[in-house]
Amino acid sequence: MVSTQSDMHILTKQQKIAQKSRQSPQLAWTCLAHHIDLVWLEAAWRRTRKDGAAGVDGITAQEYERQLTENLTALLNRFKSGSYRAPPVRRVHIPKEGTKKTRPIGIPTLEDKILQRAVQMVLEPIYEQDFLDCSYGFRPKRSAHQALEALWRGLMRMGGGWVVDLDIQSFFDSVDKARMREFLDKRVRDGVLRRTLGKWMKAGVIEAGQYSRPEHGVPQGGVISPLLSNLYLHEMLDLWFEHEVKPRLRGSAFMVRFADDAVLVFKQEADARRVLEVLPKRFGRFGLTLHPDKTRLVDFRIPPKRDKAGTQGERSFDVLGFTHYWGRSRKGRWVVQRKTAKSRFGRAVRRIAQWCRANRHQPVAVQCKALRQKLKGHYAYYGISGNAKALSRFRSEAQRQWRKWLARRSHAGRMNWETFQRLSQRYPLPPVRVVHSLHVT
């Protein structure tokens, strides 16, 4: 009951901030920190993940919760007085599947996550009034599937066109901090908040026991990182494309962006090539670099009438885990179809195989329960209209891997398909399910 009342209290404050920001688009807030009180921090604590890895201080959620009120009160006092020190982020490298490369992941301390969540809860109502409809990543009530649907409907409405598929190299590590401060100045000039944001941007990283303080970049892995990255790309890409690029084009165009993944679609080839030519210069002004191999121009026009099967290899592109291509609907019309991207499909199968191998000695009922959850999770994201064939393939691969590793149990003997079929009737995997449906005729 207490948490419900406090959440309503915070929601009311956020609505007032949002309303004033919407009514005054040029307003720069100078007094925001007073909203963050003990009740606000308690709400931030409830919204913070408790099962994440510990930061450089090694403190877990269970330890912090033992004296929660005292800890949050001390945190609030340090935040308001300016004595709060942003601890360095513990950085680890996660291998990228299928390659020898790794992906850096930042792990802030638990207390840092709580305060970042509290600040994010203040700033989000402001910037949600400014962000454009083309942006979908890490925003309230917006999802990857909404971005996919917007892209699908835009392509269908335009009847195809020329697609610029953007790929930014090391975005989080390349953000220009001086530019970020300029963007923040437009809306947020509260001294307490800006001082804290500055500390987070200056906080270093500890990697393999070595401390460093990068000149560029924002705290990757932090709760505040998605909001800061959205603000950066909103100012340097979204507004530029909407107010400077589109009015100069000969044909129609639109953009769909999810975090740092963006797709620009043009009706005219000349427009697409002109924009593709200036994009590296535009990104370079803000310290960013486009991947020379992964950023590409795709001819995504409707295939000619004589082409009955479609030219998927030539007229396709991948975004948000799906390959987009032209195909025939049941009524014979050309429609944009989506299927699980080859790289994502292979990665998902490898994860199933690794899990089956590691857990092959668990009871079959336990394995079945876990595999059912994994398949349902796969369907929840990849279960979109037109992707049933890839979903069926994934289910078959999961069954094959399960049988393969069950057969390698020391007491199992040889398990042929007939034996496995009898077992799978007793422990069935979930059938293919399309979760996100579009009416395509």
Side-chain angles (χ1 to χ4, degrees):
M1 184 66 179
V2 176
S3 62
T4 302
Q5 290 177 347
S6 63
D7 287 342
M8 289 300 297
H9 176 67
I10 290 170
L11 180 60
T12 301
K13 285 186 176 183
Q14 289 177 322
Q15 289 174 340
K16 291 180 179 179
I17 295 172
Q19 182 180 11
K20 191 170 183 179
S21 298
R22 185 166 53 251
Q23 293 172 345
S24 305
Q26 305 303 319
L27 173 66
W29 289 82
T30 58
C31 187
L32 283 169
H34 69 279
H35 292 292
I36 300 179
D37 52 18
L38 187 57
V39 174
W40 196 282
L41 280 183
E42 288 172 347
W45 157 261
R46 290 193 298 272
R47 301 180 190 187
T48 300
R49 282 186 57 186
K50 310 299 190 297
D51 57 349
V56 293
D57 59 2
I59 296 177
T60 63
Q62 292 75 18
E63 295 170 337
Y64 197 84
E65 193 174 14
R66 289 171 190 163
Q67 293 182 306
L68 181 61
T69 303
E70 292 83 351
N71 288 332
L72 292 180
T73 301
L75 174 61
L76 179 64
N77 291 335
R78 281 180 282 136
F79 166 67
K80 292 293 182 70
S81 66
S83 62
Y84 177 80
R85 293 187 177 183
V89 174
R90 183 166 69 90
R91 177 177 287 177
V92 297
H93 288 264
I94 306 299
K96 290 185 177 180
E97 294 191 42
T99 69
K100 295 182 179 180
K101 298 181 180 180
T102 60
R103 177 181 291 105
I105 300 295
I107 305 175
T109 64
L110 176 67
E111 198 168 62
D112 217 23
K113 293 178 184 177
I114 297 170
L115 188 55
Q116 287 190 25
R117 177 68 67 187
V119 172
Q120 180 255 351
M121 288 161 57
V122 174
L123 298 183
E124 191 173 75
I126 299 173
Y127 288 113
E128 274 302 304
Q129 316 313 311
D130 299 343
F131 291 159
L132 304 184
D133 286 340
C134 63
S135 167
Y136 290 87
F138 304 107
R139 293 179 57 188
K141 299 181 180 180
R142 288 185 165 234
S143 67
H145 289 100
Q146 289 176 323
L148 288 165
E149 182 174 353
L151 178 60
W152 185 87
R153 295 192 182 281
L155 288 167
M156 290 295 296
R157 182 172 58 251
M158 186 181 287
W162 295 81
V163 174
V164 176
D165 184 9
L166 297 184
D167 188 278
I168 306 174
Q169 289 191 119
S170 304
F171 170 73
F172 284 98
D173 295 332
S174 304
V175 169
D176 188 316
K177 296 179 182 179
R179 289 281 193 178
M180 178 66 80
R181 287 191 288 269
E182 290 178 14
F183 297 154
L184 286 166
D185 281 340
K186 295 182 179 180
R187 274 299 209 175
V188 179
R189 297 180 187 174
D190 179 284
V192 177
L193 286 183
R194 289 300 301 274
R195 183 168 58 235
T196 306
L197 287 168
K199 290 177 180 179
W200 283 326
M201 287 191 284
K202 292 179 182 178
V205 298
I206 291 182
E207 186 174 347
Q210 298 295 319
Y211 174 81
S212 63
R213 181 178 288 180
E215 295 182 4
H216 302 281
V218 293
Q220 186 175 1
V223 177
I224 200 68
S225 302
L227 179 63
L228 294 180
S229 63
N230 266 333
L231 170 61
Y232 201 82
L233 289 169
H234 165 76
E235 292 284 347
M236 63 82 53
L237 178 60
D238 300 359
L239 292 178
W240 172 74
F241 185 76
E242 186 67 26
H243 299 304
E244 296 186 38
V245 173
K246 287 174 69 174
R248 292 178 169 85
L249 301 179
R250 295 179 180 178
S252 58
F254 71 93
M255 179 177 71
V256 173
R257 180 174 67 80
F258 189 91
D260 58 338
D261 290 329
V263 175
L264 282 59
V265 184
F266 303 86
K267 186 64 177 177
Q268 300 291 334
E269 179 183 5
D271 290 337
R273 294 193 179 278
R274 284 171 54 206
V275 173
L276 184 60
E277 184 179 350
V278 302
L279 276 174
K281 300 176 184 177
R282 175 68 183 181
F283 276 71
R285 285 179 54 193
F286 296 87
L288 303 178
T289 305
L290 292 175
H291 198 293
D293 299 324
K294 296 181 180 179
T295 298
R296 64 193 187 106
L297 178 63
V298 180
D299 179 0
F300 201 70
R301 293 172 296 175
I302 296 177
K305 293 182 179 179
R306 64 179 180 274
D307 188 347
K308 295 182 180 180
T311 52
Q312 293 184 17
E314 299 174 6
R315 301 176 187 267
S316 67
F317 63 94
D318 292 354
V319 63
L320 294 176
F322 291 92
T323 298
H324 294 65
Y325 63 98
W326 287 103
R328 295 284 190 179
S329 70
R330 285 173 292 183
K331 292 188 176 181
R333 295 174 55 241
W334 283 112
V335 295
V336 177
Q337 296 185 343
R338 290 86 54 86
K339 63 181 178 181
T340 309
K342 183 178 180 180
S343 59
R344 294 291 187 92
F345 185 90
R347 183 172 68 182
V349 171
R350 285 193 296 272
R351 285 180 175 175
I352 289 288
Q354 291 167 1
W355 187 91
C356 289
R357 178 181 181 180
N359 294 272
R360 63 186 183 275
H361 292 298
Q362 293 285 341
V364 175
V366 173
Q367 293 187 46
C368 179
K369 182 179 179 180
L371 286 172
R372 287 180 63 86
Q373 292 176 342
K374 294 180 182 297
L375 263 67
K376 287 179 179 178
H378 187 87
Y379 299 159
Y381 186 79
Y382 293 101
I384 66 174
S385 299
N387 197 35
K389 185 180 293 185
L391 296 179
S392 297
R393 283 181 53 222
F394 180 74
R395 186 179 186 276
S396 297
E397 285 293 329
Q399 284 185 314
R400 190 174 70 83
Q401 293 295 333
W402 192 22
R403 187 199 72 84
K404 171 183 174 181
W405 291 108
L406 282 177
R408 282 160 173 73
R409 303 209 297 188
S410 59
H411 62 277
R414 181 174 179 81
M415 179 177 288
N416 55 31
W417 272 108
E418 183 179 349
T419 305
F420 179 74
Q421 288 296 331
R422 290 197 300 269
L423 182 141
S424 61
Q425 289 177 3
R426 184 178 179 185
Y427 301 102
L429 295 181
V432 168
R433 183 185 173 207
V434 174
V435 180
H436 308 277
S437 179
L438 278 174
H439 181 63
V440 183
T441 59

